[in-house]
Amino acid sequence: MGTLFEDLGAQFQQSFIEADRWQRYLDGIKISFLVTLGALCIGIILGILVAVIRTLHDQQKGSDRNILLRLLNSICQIYTTVIRGTPMMVQLLIMGFVIFKTSRNLVGVAILSLGINSGAYTAEIIRSGIMSIDPGQMEAGRSLGMDYITVMKDIIIPQAIKNILPALGNELITLFKDTSLVTVIGLTDLTKAAQQIQAKTYQAFMPYIGIAIMYLVVVMILTKLLGILEKRMRQSDRR
Amino acid sequence: MSTNTANPSTDEVLIRVENLRKSFGDNHVLNGISQDIHRGEKVVIIGPSGSGKSTFLRCLNLLEEPTEGHIFFEGTDITAKGTDINAIRRKMGMVFQHFNLFPNMTVRRNITLAPVRTGFMKQEEADKRADELLARVGLSDKAEAYPASLSGGQKQRIAIVRALAMNPDVLLFDEPTSALDPEMVGEVLEVMKELAEDGMTMAVVTHEMGFAREVGTRVLFIDEGIVKEENEPGEFFANPQNPRLQDFLSKVL
């Protein structure tokens, strides 16, 4: 029994302390955060864009749809179909080794890949949020002489976001965990850091259990923060 | 006899409706309505449910697009392609059955959003106007409240204020008291009466026959998508000609 603990202690020493290896986890998790944040921004912007185009298209009756709107709607549909129909890792491999094969900016490639992926899912979440808002809100806004975009931006989207916050939070958490896939294009995120340390020390237990705990703790903190945000956004319902 | 002599309607046609038809698929809701609404008139529209009266009102500011026919507002054909409908709607306020206040913003912002966003007023001007209008309907203390904290009657009065903030030439009311608890109907009708006395042009879809009689300058009976009878309120209620109207009035009065 004693030897087991001594053994674990030694492994811990090797995996985290020796040669300042903790620094590598820290650098890795910074990259993971950076990719999450960047991808989140791209995902939300793409998501809102696609959701608004598809809603606008669906709300208009057959004869009023103009060519441009139909074209945009088709592009959006192809986008969601392709992105949701192929594995994230395959998308990363294609982005890293086919489309941007000469790029040195791995962080940029990772952010773009995950952002484009996240956008397809976020779009569907936001679309469901927009559809959950009473059509009377749009009618009231338009009857006051405001244009479609203004009503969307000031009235519909803010209410929709509030309704879909739990689903968006889920998407954020998925996104954060999916950053571990960027190892396949050679970016040194948290997972890659653990792999590199395992290669040095020939020990798998401590690095991998270690990063699993780190991912878990971050997700738990994110969940807590989202809960607080949700509560604050609900305040206007009660006052 | 019309009881409203303070603000007689003028000869100026504000809204002209020509042969208005509206179908939803095979469902023909409006089957050819032609009407002139003059500046200063208070036109009350009554009829059984499903008769097309709300659809008629919603066509006037193109919330519903007519299938056939033309609508002119202050001389402009608003059904013509290329008409700036947003500019037209700024002159036509609308009040809805379910208020449709924006729940994500304060009462003040509900009122000032459209004037500011459409470039009609600066924020300070709009705030001042909101304060004046809120005082007029007795809700000055609610400027910073959120809609969820208001009663139905308060919400509808705010909705009227919101429409008034754009200084419209006409107000369209789509069953403004139908969603209210009975004890709150009075406060909303009171505000509408005051507006009428101030000379506002109004088109009101309602089931409040008392309001039609007292405030209306003309009452339309819409049934099966056409205007079956119209008259000034005294004659309209005392001497209904159309058998459908006689039947309808015997049920609601």
Side-chain angles (χ1 to χ4, degrees):
Chain A
M1 219 40 199
T3 49
L4 178 64
F5 280 116
E6 273 166 36
D7 207 32
L8 282 178
Q11 277 189 32
F12 183 85
Q13 178 81 14
Q14 277 192 317
S15 299
F16 291 97
I17 314 290
E18 254 180 47
D20 278 344
R21 293 207 168 106
W22 56 270
Q23 186 73 45
R24 308 187 73 160
Y25 295 100
L26 204 63
D27 291 344
I29 209 161
K30 273 185 205 156
I31 295 287
S32 296
F33 281 144
L34 186 63
V35 171
T36 307
L37 203 68
L40 184 73
C41 294
I42 294 178
I44 287 181
I45 292 166
L46 271 177
I48 290 178
L49 226 75
V50 171
V52 168
I53 289 170
R54 293 207 53 194
T55 313
L56 184 59
H57 180 268
D58 291 350
Q59 276 169 354
Q60 303 217 321
K61 296 166 193 82
S63 55
D64 307 332
R65 294 174 185 156
N66 60 39
I67 285 288
L68 181 70
L69 188 58
R70 280 172 201 233
L71 185 73
L72 285 172
N73 185 60
S74 305
I75 292 171
C76 291
Q77 270 178 329
I78 293 169
Y79 163 67
T80 33
T81 307
V82 169
I83 295 300
R84 297 205 299 174
T86 55
M88 172 78 246
M89 193 189 279
V90 175
Q91 289 167 25
L92 265 169
L93 291 169
I94 292 173
M95 288 291 270
F97 298 113
V98 181
I99 298 173
F100 295 106
K101 63 178 171 190
T102 54
S103 174
R104 292 284 158 93
N105 186 356
L106 289 180
V107 174
V109 174
I111 286 177
L112 202 59
S113 308
L114 263 76
I116 289 172
N117 180 274
S118 172
Y121 293 92
T122 309
E124 289 301 296
I125 296 172
I126 292 176
R127 205 159 72 92
S128 73
I130 291 173
M131 286 194 297
S132 74
I133 304 302
D134 172 11
Q137 293 285 308
M138 177 56 86
E139 287 183 353
R142 295 303 304 273
S143 79
L144 289 162
M146 290 186 278
D147 58 44
Y148 184 86
I149 299 291
T150 306
V151 178
M152 266 291 168
K153 184 170 68 66
D154 287 339
I155 298 163
I156 311 291
I157 302 267
Q159 293 183 60
I161 297 272
K162 193 162 79 175
N163 286 354
I164 58 176
L165 207 63
L168 275 184
N170 233 350
E171 179 57 28
L172 170 65
I173 285 166
T174 306
L175 191 58
F176 173 66
K177 290 186 298 178
D178 276 356
T179 57
S180 67
L181 291 170
V182 302
T183 52
V184 299
I185 59 168
L187 183 61
T188 315
D189 73 319
L190 183 58
T191 305
K192 188 80 177 177
Q195 284 178 343
Q196 287 171 347
I197 287 164
Q198 183 215 358
K200 279 255 163 57
T201 61
Y202 301 106
Q203 279 162 5
F205 182 81
M206 278 293 165
Y208 289 142
I209 296 293
I211 62 165
I213 291 170
M214 290 178 211
Y215 279 115
L216 182 64
V217 168
V218 171
V219 168
M220 282 163 68
I221 292 171
L222 282 177
T223 309
K224 187 87 193 155
L225 289 177
L226 284 164
I228 294 170
L229 183 64
E230 214 175 300
K231 231 182 215 164
R232 289 187 56 164
M233 286 188 82
R234 291 254 165 241
Q235 263 169 9
S236 66
D237 296 348
R238 300 213 183 89
R239 249 184 281 182
Chain B
M1 283 293 288
S2 169
T3 53
N4 194 331
T5 49
N7 293 284
S9 52
T10 62
D11 289 339
E12 185 195 345
V13 176
L14 198 60
I15 303 174
R16 167 160 288 169
V17 180
E18 281 178 3
N19 190 30
L20 175 63
R21 289 170 192 274
K22 172 71 183 176
S23 315
F24 297 98
D26 289 337
N27 183 14
H28 303 289
V29 180
L30 298 179
N31 298 308
I33 292 181
S34 298
Q35 279 291 325
D36 283 351
I37 297 175
H38 297 81
R39 193 181 289 277
E41 261 197 304
K42 297 97 183 58
V43 178
V44 178
I45 302 151
I46 65 169
S49 63
S51 60
K53 54 191 191 309
S54 277
T55 308
F56 170 69
L57 195 76
R58 289 161 57 84
C59 279
L60 297 182
N61 65 352
L62 294 200
L63 279 187
E64 300 291 351
E65 226 161 297
T67 314
E68 235 181 90
H70 292 274
I71 296 164
F72 298 87
F73 178 70
E74 296 179 340
T76 312
D77 184 356
I78 64 173
T79 42
K81 273 222 179 320
T83 308
D84 180 2
I85 188 59
N86 292 327
I88 300 289
R89 283 176 178 149
R90 282 165 210 162
K91 299 269 115 206
M92 304 175 101
M94 190 166 207
V95 175
F96 299 85
Q97 181 178 358
H98 296 288
F99 333 125
N100 297 353
L101 293 181
F102 311 130
N104 57 323
M105 37 186 100
T106 60
V107 165
R108 180 187 298 285
R109 190 122 194 280
N110 262 277
I111 299 166
T112 59
L113 183 72
V116 173
R117 282 289 187 266
T118 57
F120 178 52
M121 289 181 193
K122 297 214 162 48
Q123 186 68 50
E124 306 85 76
E125 282 176 86
D127 281 337
K128 223 179 116 223
R129 175 103 175 115
D131 288 335
E132 285 168 18
L133 289 168
L134 283 171
R136 215 168 125 186
V137 298
L139 291 171
S140 295
D141 54 328
K142 298 294 183 190
E144 308 306 328
Y146 281 85
S149 69
L150 304 175
S151 74
Q154 291 173 330
K155 281 183 196 170
Q156 195 61 300
R157 284 187 278 161
I158 302 287
I160 293 171
V161 165
R162 180 175 68 176
L164 284 174
M166 292 297 290
N167 257 341
D169 291 342
V170 57
L171 272 184
L172 311 174
F173 292 85
D174 189 4
E175 303 201 24
T177 57
S178 298
L180 295 174
D181 290 338
E183 79 267 25
M184 291 168 183
V185 170
E187 62 191 67
V188 171
L189 291 182
E190 202 48 49
V191 171
M192 291 169 65
K193 263 179 225 168
E194 279 168 28
L195 281 175
E197 279 159 18
D198 287 351
M200 174 63 75
T201 311
M202 296 161 72
V204 186
V205 171
T206 187
H207 295 292
E208 294 292 329
M209 297 303 150
F211 178 84
R213 210 190 299 247
E214 203 179 325
V215 181
T217 53
R218 188 154 55 102
V219 186
L220 308 182
F221 175 64
I222 292 187
D223 185 36
E224 294 170 328
I226 56 168
V227 177
K228 289 234 167 118
E229 185 155 342
E230 62 176 299
N231 215 331
E232 53 88 18
E235 193 62 16
F236 184 92
F237 288 106
N239 268 321
Q241 303 298 312
N242 188 287
R244 296 277 300 197
L245 174 58
Q246 289 167 354
D247 183 49
F248 178 73
L249 289 179
S250 73
K251 282 175 189 152
V252 296
L253 286 179

